[in-house]
C-alpha cells in the first residue's frame, strides 16, 4: 500500500526505489504485483464511514501512517482480496508456479505468514473486510 502524501502529495524517491525493487523481485518470481494506494481504499463501499470511525481509534504517533496501515486492509477488500505483502517483503523461495491461484490457501480464510509484522497476508475479499472491520473496532474498543 503506497502512501501518497509525502512532499506535495508524492511518494519519496527512496520509497519509489524500494517499490521498484519489490515489484521486480515479485515479477521475477512469476507474480503479477501491483501497488495499491488510497484510491483503492476509497473504492471500499463504506470508506467514508470508515474514515469517521478511524478518528475514534487512538493513534499515538504518525496518525497518517497508522491510518494507512488500517486502510490497506480495506483496499484489499475493495480489489477482491488475494495476496498482499509489505514493500519490504520479497519472495525468496516462493515462486508463482508454486502457488495455486485458483484456490487461496486455508479455504481463503485470512492467513498471515508473520507473527508480529504483517508482511505477507492472504484471504478472500470477505475475509479482508472482516479483518479490517475487526481491527477498527478493536482500536475503538481499546480506547475505553
Amino acid at each position: 500500500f503506497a502512501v501518497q502524501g509525502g512532499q506535495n502529495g508524492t511518494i519519496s524517491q527512496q520509497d519509489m526505489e524500494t517499490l521498484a525493487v519489490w515489484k521486480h523481485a515479485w515479477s521475477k518470481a512469476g507474480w503479477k504485483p501491483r501497488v495499491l494506494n488510497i484510491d483503492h481504499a476509497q473504492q471500499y463501499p463504506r470508506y467514508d464511514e470508515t474514515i469517521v470511525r478511524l478518528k475514534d481509534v487512538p493513534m499515538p504517533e504518525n496518525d497518517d501512517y497508522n491510518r494507512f496501515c488500517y486502510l490497506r486492509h480495506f483496499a484489499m477488500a475493495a480489489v477482491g482480496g488475494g495476496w498482499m505483502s509489505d514493500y519490504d517483503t520479497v519472495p525468496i523461495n516462493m515462486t508463482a508456479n508454486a502457488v495455486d491461484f485458483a484456490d487461496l490457501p486455508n479455504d481463503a480464510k485470512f492467513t498471515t505468514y508473520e507473527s508480529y509484522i504483517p508482511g505477507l497476508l492472504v484471504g478472500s475479499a470477505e475475509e479482508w473486510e472482516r479483518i479490517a472491520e475487526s481491527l477498527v473496532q478493536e482500536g475503538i474498543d481499546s480506547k475505553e
Side-chain angles (χ1 to χ4, degrees):
F1 191 86
V3 176
Q4 296 174 328
Q7 292 184 347
N8 302 320
T10 60
I11 299 171
S12 74
Q13 182 63 32
Q14 182 178 359
D15 284 344
M16 288 295 290
E17 291 169 3
T18 303
L19 279 171
V21 169
W22 172 87
K23 195 169 188 176
H24 175 76
W26 283 96
S27 295
K28 190 173 178 181
W31 294 74
K32 294 177 182 160
R34 66 179 178 167
V35 178
L36 301 184
N37 59 42
I38 191 67
D39 296 334
H40 298 97
Q42 289 171 339
Q43 293 172 17
Y44 182 66
R46 291 186 306 279
Y47 175 80
D48 292 336
E49 174 189 329
T50 299
I51 291 300
V52 171
R53 290 180 66 219
L54 280 172
K55 291 178 182 174
D56 290 331
V57 176
M59 296 186 204
E61 295 180 22
N62 201 348
D63 283 3
D64 286 339
Y65 171 81
N66 289 318
R67 196 171 346 280
F68 282 121
C69 286
Y70 282 93
L71 289 177
R72 68 186 187 163
H73 295 81
F74 291 98
M76 285 298 298
V79 300
W83 292 85
M84 184 189 78
S85 85
D86 271 352
Y87 75 117
D88 58 358
T89 301
V90 294
I92 302 299
N93 290 312
M94 189 175 176
T95 60
N97 62 1
V99 175
D100 181 2
F101 288 103
D103 295 308
L104 295 175
N106 300 324
D107 295 324
K109 298 279 189 250
F110 188 82
T111 305
T112 180
Y113 292 90
E114 299 289 333
S115 60
Y116 181 71
I117 306 271
L120 184 62
L121 313 160
V122 65
S124 68
E126 295 79 16
E127 283 292 284
W128 279 100
E129 181 176 19
R130 180 182 67 80
I131 292 297
E133 293 289 351
S134 294
L135 288 170
V136 172
Q137 190 59 52
E138 182 68 28
I140 292 169
D141 292 347
S142 73
K143 172 171 103 166
E144 297 171 353

